[in-house]
Amino acid sequence: MDKELAVVVGATGAFGRQIVARLCASNLDVVAVARSAESLGELAGLNRGLIPCVADIASDDAEAAIRAVLDRPVRMVVHGPGVAVVGGILDAPTAALVDAVNIKVGGLLRLTRAVDERLVKGSRLVAIGGHYGFEPTAYAASAGIANAALVNAVRQLSLAYGVRGVTAHLLAPGPADTERLHRVAADRGRQRGISAEAVLQEMCAESSIGAFTTPAQVAWAVSLLLAPEADAMTGSTLMLDSGRR
């Protein structure tokens, strides 16, 4: 019997690579969605059962591209694309903020509509948001605004899909130890006239355990939602912020 599918958008990013590996180890075949065929090829070489799908989730064309590779029930759907670091609320281009919402919220809706006919009772819709959607900062406007909107979108999806036994979840990592975090720290440092390392030390100190979240921890949380008991969490946010909130 064929394995059920997982669909992961942002599969070649820091979170995505870890999530793909974890889901492949959970007896699912993974449809990995990203814009780069080359990066998907590299990922396929590391994970058996991976089905590459080249698509740009910021475009409506992604719906058809994803739908075309689905041939069986979809058990897990993960929406985890990143957005650009474009500055703070006083100077970020408004077009960049609109783009971020299009990627995060518009992308989630495109993904959900692409997989809709393949969802079954117990399927999970999972969006990767972020700490800044709940605890805004003046230095990362696009992430804060897009992730705050994502909270509401996930709650709406939980209401719309509940009758079918499909649940919707938001994972909100705190600052995670990725290349993106280092870009944010460099941007903050330039604005304040201090080093990126000094900013990272300050951010780390905001955690009650003095740590950044890791991509592996985010992947663990995704796999946790495969359990039937996770039905009780639909529409809610699982904070993975290392004790910041």
Side-chain angles (χ1 to χ4, degrees):
M1 180 180 296
D2 287 336
K3 298 177 182 178
E4 290 181 308
L5 292 174
V7 182
V8 180
V9 170
T12 58
F15 290 160
R17 292 192 299 269
Q18 293 281 347
I19 292 168
V20 165
R22 192 99 185 194
L23 292 176
C24 284
S26 299
N27 203 35
L28 293 169
D29 285 343
V30 176
V31 174
V33 182
R35 291 177 296 179
S36 169
E38 181 180 356
S39 296
L40 285 171
E42 294 173 359
L43 192 65
L46 300 173
N47 298 278
R48 294 186 60 187
L50 187 138
I51 303 163
C53 176
V54 178
D56 181 359
I57 203 64
S59 166
D60 287 343
D61 293 340
E63 285 187 42
I66 295 170
R67 191 180 297 116
V69 300
L70 305 179
D71 60 357
R72 65 196 103 135
V74 173
R75 177 76 167 81
M76 171 63 74
V77 181
V78 182
H79 180 61
V83 296
V85 179
V86 293
I89 196 65
L90 297 181
D91 55 11
T94 53
L97 304 183
V98 172
D99 287 345
V101 174
N102 178 43
I103 292 168
K104 286 281 190 174
V105 179
L108 175 63
L109 297 182
R110 294 180 187 101
L111 174 60
T112 301
R113 292 165 186 174
V115 303
D116 181 86
E117 294 180 356
R118 299 288 183 176
L119 297 176
V120 295
K121 184 177 181 180
S123 293
R124 308 293 190 214
L125 304 173
V126 182
I128 310 295
H131 171 74
Y132 291 143
F134 296 88
E135 298 291 342
T137 168
Y139 302 104
S142 61
I145 290 170
N147 286 327
L150 199 59
V151 176
N152 191 276
V154 168
R155 293 183 67 183
Q156 291 193 49
L157 288 172
S158 75
L159 298 173
Y161 277 98
V163 68
R164 293 171 55 181
V166 175
T167 61
H169 310 266
L170 180 69
L171 302 183
D177 193 5
T178 64
E179 291 181 9
R180 182 182 180 281
L181 179 67
H182 288 262
R183 293 197 299 272
V184 170
D187 185 57
R188 284 195 190 184
R190 282 191 295 271
Q191 293 185 41
R192 295 173 55 193
I194 62 176
S195 69
E197 184 58 36
V199 174
L200 289 169
Q201 290 175 0
E202 290 178 357
M203 295 173 72
C204 196
E206 294 169 356
S207 160
S208 63
I209 59 173
F212 292 120
T213 305
T214 68
Q217 289 169 330
V218 176
W220 162 81
V222 171
S223 66
L224 186 73
L225 293 173
L226 288 169
E229 291 83 358
D231 284 350
M233 298 171 65
T234 190
S236 64
T237 299
L238 182 58
M239 298 297 297
L240 301 168
D241 62 356
S242 300
R244 283 174 168 79
R245 188 164 187 266

